[in-house]
Amino acid sequence: MTEDMNQVEVRTFSENDKVKGTVTKIEEKQVLVSIIGSKLDGIIPISELSSLHVEHASDVVKEGDELELVVTKVEEDALVVSKRKADAEKAWEEMKRRFETGEVFECLVNDVVKGGLVVDLGVRGFVPASLVEDHYVDDFTDYKGKTLSFKIVELDQEKNRLILSHRAVIETEKEQKKKQVLKNISAGQILEGVVQRITNFGAFVDIGGVDGLVHISQLSHKHVSMPSEVVQEGDKVQVKVLSVDLDNERISLSIKETQPGPWTNIEEKAAVDSVLTGVVKRIVSFGAFVEVLPGVEGLVHISQISHKHIGTPHEVLKEGQQVQVKVLDVNEKEQRLSLSIKELEEKEADNHVEYELPEEAKGFQLGEMIGDKLKGLKN
């Protein structure tokens, strides 16, 4: 027994030796440990407790903890040791494995610094602000203390550089979800979605993890100049799937197709003999098309424009002109509406000159007058 103890006492230590120690006392700027297998004590400076900045040693260790350590300096009666270096050696091996395999893992966000987030993985890991989310974040304060999933995107042990990304995890998950959604979507389905983005040519709608485009022509039955006239970002909308392109991962949607058409119940909205106010939309050689309801145009045939004879509709009408029309005929099935402008206008009296009989002819019959004329011709 004495021989074994003597061997322990005479053991010598060198810098970079790996040792184990038990925490015996926690002080403000250092931690004292009893080196296992030796009568020497070890001192861990607070800066050597973690790869991260430590305010209080008690935040990292507590009395009785058994730690793996690396000798950084040998003194006469004690060893200066580092928990940070021991953790880092093991951590780098684990980080290399995760980097090579592309493993996704969870980790606590220890701190928020200028430019991103900091995590402790035995070595300091940094998450640049651009790699935290797949959207812009103004303030990262609330991220401290959160547990997020990460993927290592850059590793350089020599430069002590470990870059992590939460965004890469989100994008991978979204891509997988997108493929699954695409498999389950087919033309003709009616789905609920949320307007994500508005452009000049339409609106992108999220239908459960994948965005589809509602072209401006499919937003409404009425004419739309700008998509923002009809929808806003964040709006919940019902859409009909028009087509699915699996190869290019594109989905065409329609809001218009989920809404009653402008011709629905047109026989009630534009009953025969009813008078409506409309706008001349198009003028053609045989008449004019007048919009009487949003998306509903009827034809005023050239013969129904005026009581007067006209060569072309342009003589009387111009595009954009507001007119009153009378409904002559309506057909919902064929989406036809016959209209008339002249039916609402009074027919002007015919211009004619009355023939005034001479004074001497008054009181005679017409036959007598003609007979006298004929006699004159014979003579």
Side-chain angles (χ1 to χ4, degrees):
M1 184 72 176
T2 307
E3 188 177 346
D4 290 341
M5 288 299 292
N6 288 337
Q7 286 178 351
V8 168
E9 288 174 16
V10 297
R11 178 184 171 187
T12 57
F13 295 93
S14 301
E15 193 175 319
N16 293 325
D17 280 355
K18 295 177 182 177
V19 297
K20 288 185 178 181
T22 304
V23 177
T24 57
K25 189 177 182 183
I26 298 174
E27 297 179 351
E28 187 179 349
K29 295 297 179 183
Q30 62 184 22
V31 173
L32 302 181
V33 296
S34 172
I35 303 300
I36 296 173
S38 170
K39 287 190 174 181
L40 291 174
D41 288 328
I43 301 168
I44 311 173
I46 194 169
S47 61
E48 293 298 320
L49 280 173
S50 171
S51 59
L52 304 179
H53 175 71
V54 177
E55 286 287 343
H56 307 286
S58 56
D59 293 339
V60 182
V61 296
K62 61 182 185 296
E63 288 186 14
D65 283 354
E66 189 176 297
L67 310 174
E68 290 188 6
L69 307 163
V70 171
V71 177
T72 57
K73 188 177 181 182
V74 180
E75 297 183 345
E76 263 187 52
D77 54 352
L79 302 175
V80 179
V81 290
S82 172
K83 176 180 179 296
R84 178 182 64 81
K85 284 191 174 182
D87 290 345
E89 284 185 21
K90 288 172 63 178
W92 278 115
E93 291 304 314
E94 178 62 12
M95 295 306 106
K96 285 176 185 176
R97 184 191 68 77
R98 289 179 177 178
F99 182 52
E100 289 167 2
T101 60
E103 180 184 327
V104 174
F105 54 91
E106 290 190 341
C107 185
L108 185 75
V109 176
N110 295 89
D111 204 0
V112 175
V113 295
K114 185 178 180 181
L117 312 177
V118 175
V119 299
D120 183 11
L121 293 162
V123 291
R124 182 182 186 272
F126 181 62
V127 189
S130 61
L131 298 182
V132 177
E133 300 286 358
D134 63 345
H135 57 270
Y136 175 74
V137 177
D138 184 51
D139 185 5
F140 289 100
T141 306
D142 294 340
Y143 281 73
K144 186 173 182 177
K146 273 188 177 181
T147 297
L148 299 176
S149 50
F150 295 104
K151 188 176 182 179
I152 299 171
V153 292
E154 190 178 335
L155 182 150
D156 189 333
Q157 185 174 352
E158 287 184 8
K159 294 181 180 178
N160 201 35
R161 183 176 175 83
L162 184 68
I163 305 298
L164 311 177
S165 173
H166 177 57
R167 176 178 177 170
V169 177
I170 294 172
E171 289 177 341
T172 300
E173 289 175 350
K174 281 189 173 182
E175 193 60 33
Q176 290 172 346
K177 189 174 182 181
K178 183 177 181 179
K179 288 179 179 177
Q180 190 61 42
V181 171
L182 281 166
K183 285 181 183 177
N184 296 327
I185 287 180
S186 58
Q189 285 181 305
I190 304 292
L191 305 168
E192 188 173 89
V194 178
V195 178
Q196 293 293 312
R197 195 159 48 93
I198 294 175
T199 67
N200 289 335
F201 55 84
F204 286 93
V205 177
D206 180 1
I207 49 174
V210 58
D211 286 354
L213 173 64
V214 180
H215 189 266
I216 190 168
S217 63
Q218 291 296 327
L219 285 169
S220 175
H221 287 289
K222 65 181 182 181
H223 174 72
V224 178
S225 298
M226 287 294 293
S228 55
E229 295 173 9
V230 183
V231 291
Q232 299 295 324
E233 288 182 7
D235 283 356
K236 285 186 179 179
V237 292
Q238 273 205 322
V239 292
K240 182 178 180 179
V241 180
L242 299 181
S243 65
V244 181
D245 183 345
L246 291 174
D247 293 333
N248 296 305
E249 297 186 345
R250 289 178 184 167
I251 302 173
S252 295
L253 305 171
S254 174
I255 292 175
K256 178 172 79 173
E257 291 286 321
T258 66
Q259 299 171 342
W263 288 88
T264 303
N265 299 325
I266 191 64
E267 291 174 359
E268 295 177 14
K269 295 183 284 188
V272 173
D273 290 334
S274 62
V275 177
L276 305 170
T277 300
V279 175
V280 178
K281 289 293 185 180
R282 288 178 295 134
I283 297 177
V284 292
S285 60
F286 54 85
F289 287 94
V290 177
E291 186 179 55
V292 293
L293 293 166
V296 176
E297 290 183 9
L299 173 65
V300 180
H301 190 267
I302 189 169
S303 63
Q304 291 295 328
I305 292 176
S306 174
H307 289 289
K308 295 177 182 179
H309 172 73
I310 58 173
T312 68
H314 286 283
E315 294 176 20
V316 180
L317 302 172
K318 60 182 179 181
E319 291 181 1
Q321 181 180 343
Q322 193 175 75
V323 292
Q324 277 202 318
V325 292
K326 182 178 180 179
V327 179
L328 301 180
D329 186 50
V330 57
N331 189 318
E332 181 176 332
K333 187 177 180 182
E334 295 181 11
Q335 295 190 357
R336 266 200 341 238
L337 197 60
S338 296
L339 307 171
S340 174
I341 293 174
K342 81 174 186 181
E343 286 282 319
L344 300 176
E345 296 177 347
E346 288 186 18
K347 186 176 181 181
E348 292 182 12
D350 291 333
N351 292 325
H352 63 279
V353 178
E354 291 186 4
Y355 180 72
E356 185 71 27
L357 290 172
E359 193 66 36
E360 63 272 15
K362 289 179 181 177
F364 288 87
Q365 296 294 324
L366 182 60
E368 292 176 346
M369 289 176 62
I370 294 172
D372 290 341
K373 292 284 183 185
L374 287 174
K375 285 178 184 178
L377 290 172
K378 285 179 183 179
N379 295 330

